[in-house]
Amino acid sequence: MNEYERLRRLAEHHRQAYPPGTRVVLQEMNDPYAPVPPGTRGTVTLIDDAGQIHMRWDNGRTLPLNSDEDSFRKLTTEELAEEQMAKLPRINGEMVALTPDDEGVFMGYVTDRKWNGWECPLFPKSSADKIMEYINNSVGGISYDAKDDSYTMKYLEDDVVECFEGEDYLVNGNIEHLYPIGSHSWLWYHALEQNDALNEDNAPVMGM
């Protein structure tokens, strides 16, 4: 096998094994001048025709990998999950009963963010769907788009449209998908602090 064919096959193999976006960790780089330190993680950007694996290292370097000389491996599923969790916005606390109008009461998380003194809550989809039902049974104008994973509120009197997109958050060590419905625009506050309705079990009424 000539060198051209060897490199062609190497590049083809690497394109299958390390597509752009693959996360790897360096074990050793055979560079006599300025190697990337062992243990550095990075993201594959492309494979060139010589089979070199071009990288965007987490420390800012862009030195490519040569599989004939360098030692590296893909991150494990567990390592990828740890990275994902480390990047997520974090919330510490429990769900609380929230209301925008003293009538509809819904369970959601509050954060340290405020809007003119009002809460900027985040809701799981179960609560978000109940908010949508409640709003549509009263003033109307809110819908859910599964493709965009967002709730859209149309304020007819002002001809304004507002979208609330879902996002993953790390909540007390667990990943939850939450929606900022009404955050930075609705007057959300704690329902129990306002003596809102309780059911017979002394629990907040959800989705009235």
Side-chain angles (χ1 to χ4, degrees), residues 168-180:
D168 286 339
Y169 292 82
L170 189 62
V171 183
N172 300 322
N174 298 309
I175 297 177
E176 291 197 37
H177 198 68
L178 305 174
Y179 300 84

Side-chain angles (χ1 to χ4, degrees), residues 147-158:
K147 181 179 179 180
D148 295 332
D149 187 30
S150 65
Y151 291 84
T152 299
M153 180 70 185
K154 295 182 180 179
Y155 302 95
L156 301 179
E157 66 278 9
D158 298 321

Side-chain angles (χ1 to χ4, degrees), residues 102-115:
D102 290 330
E103 295 183 8
V105 181
F106 311 93
M107 300 301 290
Y109 294 98
V110 294
T111 69
D112 56 1
R113 296 177 299 176
K114 298 287 192 242
W115 176 68

Side-chain angles (χ1 to χ4, degrees), residues 6-201:
R6 186 187 77 84
L7 292 178
R8 186 192 69 78
R9 293 187 181 186
L10 182 66
E12 181 179 350
H13 171 271
H14 286 351
R15 288 177 180 133
Q16 293 292 325
Y18 307 103
T22 300
R23 293 285 290 165
V24 303
V25 58
L26 180 66
Q27 294 167 316
E28 184 178 4
M29 179 173 283
N30 186 19
D31 185 304
Y33 303 106
V36 174
T40 304
R41 296 183 179 188
T43 303
V44 175
T45 58
L46 66 90
I47 310 297
D48 65 25
D49 291 339
Q52 288 195 110
I53 303 172
H54 290 254
M55 298 294 302
R56 182 175 65 252
W57 296 103
D58 290 358
N59 64 2
R61 302 283 300 279
T62 56
L63 205 61
L65 287 167
N66 184 332
S67 61
D68 290 337
E69 299 180 355
D70 303 326
S71 177
F72 59 95
R73 64 172 176 82
K74 292 182 181 180
L75 295 188
T76 65
T77 301
E78 292 75 14
E79 289 170 332
L80 290 172
E82 290 172 356
E83 284 194 342
Q84 179 189 12
M85 293 184 69
K87 294 177 181 178
L88 294 177
R90 297 169 180 264
I91 301 173
N92 294 315
E94 299 179 353
M95 296 186 76
V96 298
L98 296 156
T99 181
D101 59 8
D102 290 330
E103 295 183 8
V105 181
F106 311 93
M107 300 301 290
Y109 294 98
V110 294
T111 69
D112 56 1
R113 296 177 299 176
K114 298 287 192 242
W115 176 68
N116 293 332
W118 302 100
E119 299 290 356
C120 294
L122 298 164
F123 296 96
K125 194 171 189 307
S126 57
S127 293
D129 286 342
K130 291 175 180 178
I131 295 171
M132 179 173 63
E133 180 182 3
Y134 175 76
I135 294 297
N136 287 337
N137 286 337
S138 53
V139 298
I142 188 169
S143 61
Y144 175 70
D145 187 327
K147 181 179 179 180
D148 295 332
D149 187 30
S150 65
Y151 291 84
T152 299
M153 180 70 185
K154 295 182 180 179
Y155 302 95
L156 301 179
E157 66 278 9
D158 298 321
D159 195 27
V160 173
V161 175
E162 188 173 16
C163 292
F164 308 109
E165 297 181 359
E167 184 179 355
D168 286 339
Y169 292 82
L170 189 62
V171 183
N172 300 322
N174 298 309
I175 297 177
E176 291 197 37
H177 198 68
L178 305 174
Y179 300 84
I181 296 183
S183 289
H184 299 95
S185 59
W186 298 9
L187 307 185
W188 286 106
Y189 52 84
H190 291 250
L192 295 183
E193 293 180 359
Q194 301 295 327
N195 297 316
D196 281 283
L198 299 178
N199 64 19
E200 60 183 7
D201 298 321

